[in-house]
C-alpha cells in the first residue's frame, strides 16, 4: 500500500546549500546521502550556477522522486532575504526539467514533525535526525536541516496516505 | 571592429518579468522584441517555472549572446526582496545551459547611461528608450525597464571596446 519513495531535502543558502536524501517506506526511513554544496562566495552568477548544477548532479545521481525545500520565513534583513531567495530558486529551477513535485514546509512545521515541538532547538532536531536515520557521529548543521525537511515530508506524506486509506475503508 | 551583438535585458519580478531584446552595432541600436512574462500569481513553484521556461523560450527564439539583469537594490521589505531574489535567479538559471555572459547594472547605472542622470524618473527613462530605439506609442513599464538595461549594457560595452581599441593604438 505504502510505496517506497526517495526524497531530496534542500536547505538553501547562498554560501552553503545543505542536502539530504532519504528513502521512506511507511514509517521506515533510510539515509541515502547528505552533505553540502559550498559555493566559493565569489561572483553571484557563479554561486547560482554552483547551486543549480550541484542540485542537478544530485538529481542525476540519486533520482529522488520528490523535492522538499524549507519554506523561507520572512527575514528581518532584506539583503539576506534576497540572497536566500536566489539560492532557493536556483535549487528549485534545477528540478524543473525533471518535473519533480516540490513541497515546502516552514522551519516550525519541520521542528514540529521531528520533535513534536515547533520551538525545538537545532540540537534537538539534529538529535532526532540522527536517531530516526540511525546515524552516528557529528552531523553538519546544513545536512541535518536538509534531512529534517525530507523526514518532515516523509511523515506528512505517510499521514496523508493513512488518512486516504482510512477514508477509503469507510466508504 | 565593433561587432553586432544581440542583448537580452530582463527586469525580473515575481508577478511581471519584463524583457527587451536589442541588436547593437556600435552606436546603432535596433529593437528586436520586448514584452512581459506574466506569472499567474499562483503557487510559488509554478511562478518560478513560468519565468524559467519563459526566459528559456526567449533564448531559443531570439538567440541573444549576452544577458543583462537589473542588479537588485536592497529593499526595505524583506518579503519583497525574497520574491525578487527568486524571480531573478529563475531568469538567470534559464540562461545557464547556454553559458551566456550575465551582466548586472544597478537601476542608478541604467538611468545614468540612458539619460545622463542617475536620479532620472521612470518617464524620462521610457522616453529615452523609445527615442533611442525609434519606437512609437505607449510602452509597458516592465518592457521599458528591460530594454533600458539592455541599452545600458550596449553603451557600456561600446565604451569598453572603444577604450580597448584606443589603448591598442597607443602601443
Amino acid at each position: 500500500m505504502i510505496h517506497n519513495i526517495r526524497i531530496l531535502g534542500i536547505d538553501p543558502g547562498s554560501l552553503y546549500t545543505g542536502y539530504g536524501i532519504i528513502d521512506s517506506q511507511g514509517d521506515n526511513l533510510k539515509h541515502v546521502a547528505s552533505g553540502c554544496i559550498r559555493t566559493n562566495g565569489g561572483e553571484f552568477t557563479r554561486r547560482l550556477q554552483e547551486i543549480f548544477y550541484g542540485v542537478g548532479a544530485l538529481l542525476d545521481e540519486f533520482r529522488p522522486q520528490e523535492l522538499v525545500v524549507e519554506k523561507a520565513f520572512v527575514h528581518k534583513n532584506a539583503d539576506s532575504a534576497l540572497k536566500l531567495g536566489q539560492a532557493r530558486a536556483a535549487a528549485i529551477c534545477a528540478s524543473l526539467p525533471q518535473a519533480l513535485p516540490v513541497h515546502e514546509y516552514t522551519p516550525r512545521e519541520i521542528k514540529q514533525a521531528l520533535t513534536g515541538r515547533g520551538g525545538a532547538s537545532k540540537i534537538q532536531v539534529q538529535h532526532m535526525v540522527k536517531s530516526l536515520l540511525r546515524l552516528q557521529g557529528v552531523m553538519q548543521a546544513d545536512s541535518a536541516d536538509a534531512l529534517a525537511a525530507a523526514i518532515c515530508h516523509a511523515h506528512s506524506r505517510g499521514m496523508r496516505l493513512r488518512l486516504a486509506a482510512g477514508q477509503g475503508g469507510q466508504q
Side-chain angles (χ1 to χ4, degrees), chain A:
Chain A
M1 272 308 243
I2 295 172
H3 298 294
N4 192 20
I5 191 166
R6 181 163 286 187
I7 302 167
L8 168 58
I10 297 276
D11 175 35
S14 80
L15 291 175
Y16 305 101
T17 288
Y19 66 86
I21 300 161
I22 61 169
D23 280 342
S24 155
Q25 187 168 27
D27 289 334
N28 189 26
L29 301 176
K30 201 183 125 208
H31 175 267
V32 177
S34 56
C36 186
I37 300 164
R38 284 163 217 270
T39 60
N40 59 15
E43 193 229 336
F44 152 76
T45 312
R46 180 137 189 87
R47 279 195 251 171
L48 281 194
Q49 196 173 7
E50 283 167 1
I51 298 171
F52 182 79
Y53 286 116
V55 171
L58 291 173
L59 297 173
D60 287 344
E61 183 175 352
F62 296 104
R63 303 263 159 211
Q65 290 139 291
E66 307 210 352
L67 178 66
V68 188
V69 186
E70 204 176 276
K71 196 177 268 178
F73 56 99
V74 174
H75 271 252
K76 282 186 187 150
N77 180 330
D79 190 41
S80 308
L82 183 82
K83 286 179 184 160
L84 176 63
Q86 291 175 159
R88 288 191 90 228
I92 292 170
C93 286
S95 79
L96 292 177
Q98 302 191 21
L100 251 61
V102 179
H103 303 275
E104 298 181 283
Y105 298 91
T106 63
R108 198 171 176 82
E109 285 168 330
I110 295 172
K111 287 175 184 172
Q112 177 75 39
L114 266 87
T115 69
R117 287 201 315 114
S121 72
K122 274 199 174 279
I123 300 291
Q124 287 170 316
V125 172
Q126 282 178 33
H127 177 76
M128 283 306 292
V129 167
K130 284 169 65 177
S131 163
L132 287 165
L133 298 177
R134 298 169 297 281
L135 297 172
Q136 304 287 328
V138 179
M139 168 152 283
Q140 230 180 15
D142 303 288
S143 313
D145 285 348
L147 285 167
I151 294 169
C152 168
H153 178 58
H155 281 189
S156 152
R157 190 178 162 275
M159 200 100 79
R160 281 200 305 276
L161 286 174
R162 275 193 290 273
L163 273 170
Q167 282 166 356
Q170 283 162 11
Q171 279 173 358

